[in-house]
Amino acid sequence: MDWLERAARLRQWTRSGTRAPHKPLLLLYALGRFQQDAAGELRYSAVEEDLQRLLTEYGPPNRTTPAYPFHHLVSDGVWEVRTDRGPGSPGTGVRELRTAGAAGRLAPELRAALRREPALLGRMARVLLDLHFPPSLHADLCDSVGLELESAEAGTGQFSAAARKRRDPLMRERVLTAYEYRCAFCGYDGRIGAVPVGLEAAHVRWWAFDGPDDVENGLCLCSLHHKLFDMGVLGVGDGHRVLVSQRFVGHSPAAREHVIALADRPLIGPQPGAPPVAAIHRSWHISQVFHGSPRPSAAA
């Protein structure tokens, strides 16, 4: 049984690039818990808060419930659910899962495979991360699910390497050149000698969701603003102006200066002749990543 293929082919509702990372997040969480306690199970009432936090932080902006993946992941053959009455899930209702004492864990065959081949856990996690989340979030996501990826991962794995699309290695250089090696949000342009430091090429529409390796889908961002952009704190609105989520809270002078003050500022760049971020990619990011409503201009 090819567990890497099953991880890569989780059945998800999707339409026009809509994000639905519910099952991948639950499976990553289950792998992290298995790494900590291979014999344990996840009682819904005990892990509901953790799973809701993952969906809030790493899921789409719309409010969703962890009850959905807890029930439906069974259909992918990697998960099982039982209640106080016996095997089987009571459904997707939050109240039913709680009152029935529903508990889930990795499917028996998968648990056996992970015991036989410990490195499989790391390779499955890598497939899930690569297919559903941008690289800037991988380390934080592993921390959030309690997964020590480096110790779990002995290699990339044959399927993992084949399943990943190849990124264009020239994407970074093209995007940084287009924005003249300056963060499009704050203008940061640090270098050590001739080498830029702390500047990254951010995909607006995530590469994992068919975002092309094109300049019109890229932004040159400093490391801070790249992370905030991928977390939905920042976005790019009409007129290529910076959006700052009203959900962001920061009282320090640094938070006000480096984040809140960006609200409604025009992007810095790209240089003449380089394409700006395409509207279709901006719209995808706003609908699938950006959280809440944008703040009014800090100068207002």
Side-chain angles (χ1 to χ4, degrees):
M1 186 174 297
D2 195 332
W3 294 107
L4 296 180
E5 185 170 358
R6 287 203 177 190
R9 302 184 187 282
L10 296 179
R11 289 191 285 269
Q12 298 170 270
W13 182 88
T14 182
R15 183 180 63 193
S16 302
T18 300
R19 295 177 59 217
H22 310 69
K23 287 182 177 180
L25 284 170
L26 174 57
L27 186 50
L28 280 168
Y29 183 82
L31 290 171
R33 292 293 291 267
F34 182 88
Q35 189 180 41
Q36 299 169 24
D37 178 11
E41 63 179 12
L42 307 179
R43 198 169 184 88
Y44 181 80
S45 58
V47 302
E48 181 181 8
E49 185 175 341
D50 283 350
L51 297 176
Q52 186 62 65
R53 174 177 50 81
L54 287 173
L55 284 171
T56 299
E57 294 185 10
Y58 299 101
N62 53 300
R63 179 80 174 177
T64 52
T65 170
Y68 174 86
F70 203 91
H71 169 78
H72 284 293
L73 188 59
V74 173
S75 64
D76 293 279
V78 296
W79 179 252
E80 66 174 4
V81 176
R82 67 164 188 83
T83 68
D84 293 337
R85 297 187 295 271
S89 171
T92 58
V94 172
R95 181 178 298 177
E96 289 80 2
L97 288 166
R98 292 172 182 165
T99 58
R105 59 179 179 174
L106 300 175
E109 298 87 350
L110 177 53
R111 298 199 307 271
L114 291 171
R115 291 189 179 97
R116 288 193 307 270
E117 186 184 355
L120 174 62
L121 189 149
R123 295 199 293 273
M124 288 186 68
R126 180 64 68 185
V127 167
L128 294 167
L129 291 168
D130 283 347
L131 292 180
H132 301 284
F133 305 97
S136 66
L137 299 184
H138 289 185
D140 288 346
L141 185 46
C142 286
D143 287 343
S144 296
V145 300
L147 180 64
E148 295 182 8
L149 187 58
E150 290 186 3
S151 63
E153 191 175 38
T156 58
Q158 183 177 1
F159 180 85
S160 178
R164 293 181 233 170
K165 298 179 296 181
R166 293 185 62 85
R167 295 177 184 267
D168 185 344
L170 300 179
M171 160 79 169
R172 180 178 184 274
E173 185 63 26
R174 288 200 300 265
V175 171
L176 267 59
T177 298
Y179 285 85
E180 300 181 281
Y181 293 86
R182 293 181 299 172
C183 176
F185 289 167
C186 71
Y188 168 82
D189 60 355
R191 295 172 180 259
I192 294 179
V195 179
V197 291
L199 287 172
E200 302 165 355
H203 282 75
V204 179
R205 182 186 180 110
W206 293 355
W207 182 83
F209 284 83
D210 299 322
D213 286 333
D214 298 332
V215 171
E216 66 178 15
N217 186 43
L219 285 171
C220 176
L221 297 178
C222 66
S223 299
L224 171 64
H225 291 136
H226 189 178
K227 178 62 67 66
L228 295 177
F229 186 66
D230 283 346
M231 289 294 294
V233 173
L234 300 174
V236 180
D238 294 338
H240 294 88
R241 306 184 80 87
V242 182
L243 303 178
V244 178
S245 172
Q246 287 188 329
R247 295 184 186 177
F248 175 80
V249 176
H251 301 293
S252 68
R256 291 196 296 270
E257 177 183 354
H258 297 302
V259 183
I260 295 173
L262 297 176
D264 203 41
R265 282 188 188 175
L267 291 184
I268 301 171
Q271 63 175 294
V277 179
I280 189 171
H281 302 318
R282 289 191 288 107
S283 297
W284 182 90
H285 186 274
I286 291 170
S287 67
Q288 297 301 312
V289 181
F290 187 75
H291 283 276
S293 302
R295 288 174 174 267
S297 169

